[in-house]
Each structure stands twice: as structure tokens, then as C-alpha cells.
Amino acid sequence: MEVSEREGSQRFSSHFPSDGSGHSRLTIRVLAGASCLCVTSTNNGSCFRFPEQESPNMSKVLRIVAFAYPYFFDNIPLFYRLFICTGEGCAHNETIPIHYRHVTLAMLTGFLFATHLPERLAPGTFDYIGHSHQLFHICAVIGTHFQMKALIKDMTLRQAWLTLHTPLPSFMDTIGAISLALLLNLLIIALFSLGLYWKPKTPEAKNQHYYTEKLKVD
């Protein structure tokens, strides 16, 4: 679900940077890069879990980076439109405030995931309700809602310009690319899962398995 949302939202946002002449070149470059990052971020996010026991802080930083750089790359067209582009060809319309809400919630999601607030300020108080893992998922869902709302409104407002200046999306630009990215991500997950299944058991794990089986027999 996350892979499809990430790939799909990126393909939407790459079509809305501005009304300038560089639209096609920017779209092609961002789409190609985002398709690769969609797969590598899943691979890196899985790999960076291995040093978690030996170096939990380093593992945390690497996992944040693994999911942060695809987000920033995927939204280059949107950031260009919001923070850099000026003038008549920048498509500044009533969707801009909605995009700002989406970006703010995305930043807040990463902040909560990285800092583990508020439970670090009051240990034990937020064990069940209100801890950072719950909050960052809530922010991510609301941010995605604003993102999709802005994109749908953008398509409605700019339909005439998009029809005249952009080619119709092809199969590989839509369902084909998303399906390929999803298939590759599922393959990565399957390989890592099999690796864990075939991993030799440590002495502690063997002892735990022995006592578990003994309790069943008793």
C-alpha cells in the first residue's frame, strides 16, 4: 500500500511543477529517478535494520534517511512550485494552501518518528495512547489526505492546460510502472523474509525453543 501510494503520488506531483517549458524534461527525470528510489528505499530500509542491536542510534538514522530522501526527491516538482517558482507560469492557485498543509504534516511525521516525542518527556504516560508511533501514523494519513485533495483539485483546475501541453499517460507511465515497482518491492521483502527464516538459531534462541517445547510436553 505504501509503495503504491508513494509511486502514485509522485507521478501525480511530477505533472504539476509549473506551466513552464521545462515541464516535460523535469517530469521525465523525476519519474525515472523516483521509480528507482521506490525500490532502493525498501531495500535500504530492510538492510538498515540489521545493525539495530549493535548500534540502535545509527540504525535509526539510516532508516530515516532511507525513507526521507525518496520523499524529497519525489516532491522536487512540488517544492519548486511552492518555494522557488515566481511569475505567471507557476500555477499559483487555491491548491497552494492545501499543499502547504501536506508538506507540514509530512515534516511533522518525520520529526515524531525521529524524536520519539512525547513519551521521552514523560516515560510511562503515553505507553498505550498518544505515543509517537501513533501520532506519526495519524499525521501521515492526514497528510496523504491533503496531498490527494490538492492533486485532485489541481487536475480539475488545470485540466485545460494539461490536455493541451502534456501527452496522455501511457501504460508504463501509470499501471505498468506501479505494478513493476510493487513486484520488485515484494521480491525484496520475500528475500529478506527467507533470509530470516533460514538464519541459524543463536544459542539463546535454541534454549528458548527447548524450554517452550518442554512446557508443551509437561
Side-chain angles (χ1 to χ4, degrees):
M1 184 67 178
E2 182 183 350
V3 173
S4 300
E5 188 276 330
R6 186 191 311 159
E7 182 82 3
S9 64
Q10 184 278 326
R11 291 181 178 275
F12 271 120
S13 63
S14 66
H15 284 79
F16 304 129
S18 68
D19 291 342
S21 59
H23 178 277
S24 298
R25 294 191 301 272
L26 179 62
T27 297
I28 293 172
R29 292 171 183 173
V30 172
L31 287 177
S35 298
C36 296
L37 288 177
C38 183
V39 177
T40 57
S41 64
T42 302
N43 179 73
N44 293 341
S46 302
C47 288
F48 294 156
R49 275 194 173 274
F50 288 109
E52 194 167 12
Q53 292 184 346
E54 294 78 10
S55 181
N57 292 333
M58 178 59 67
S59 175
K60 187 76 170 182
V61 171
L62 292 174
R63 289 180 61 213
I64 292 172
V65 172
F67 292 103
Y69 69 79
Y71 173 80
F72 284 106
F73 183 88
D74 292 351
N75 286 279
I76 285 176
L78 178 63
F79 294 150
Y80 171 77
R81 177 183 172 189
L82 294 179
F83 305 116
I84 298 176
C85 188
T86 58
E88 296 181 357
C90 294
H92 287 167
N93 52 36
E94 53 263 43
T95 63
I96 296 298
I98 307 177
H99 281 300
Y100 278 126
R101 295 173 200 167
H102 149 237
V103 173
T104 301
L105 286 165
M107 298 299 107
L108 184 58
T109 299
F111 174 79
L112 292 170
F113 181 79
T115 59
H116 290 284
L117 294 175
E119 62 266 23
R120 293 182 66 181
L121 301 178
T125 305
F126 303 98
D127 287 349
Y128 296 102
I129 298 176
H131 54 80
S132 61
H133 197 88
Q134 288 178 341
L135 296 177
F136 94 74
H137 274 297
I138 292 171
C139 289
V141 170
I142 298 175
T144 302
H145 163 74
F146 283 124
Q147 181 185 35
M148 299 309 297
K149 182 178 180 180
L151 292 173
I152 293 172
K153 195 174 186 66
D154 250 329
M155 286 193 296
T156 303
L157 294 175
R158 304 179 63 200
Q159 183 177 8
W161 186 91
L162 292 170
T163 303
L164 290 175
H165 296 85
T166 59
L168 291 175
S170 62
F171 175 79
M172 282 307 300
D173 191 37
T174 52
I175 299 175
I178 294 175
S179 300
L180 179 61
L182 182 61
L183 179 63
L184 292 175
N185 276 276
L186 289 174
L187 179 61
I188 292 171
I189 294 171
L191 291 175
F192 277 100
S193 300
L194 290 174
L196 291 173
Y197 181 76
W198 287 329
K199 184 179 179 180
K201 291 185 178 180
T202 61
E204 293 81 2
K206 289 181 179 179
N207 291 334
Q208 184 179 6
H209 179 72
Y210 169 77
Y211 287 117
T212 303
E213 292 299 322
K214 186 177 180 180
L215 287 174
K216 289 180 179 179
V217 173
D218 295 342

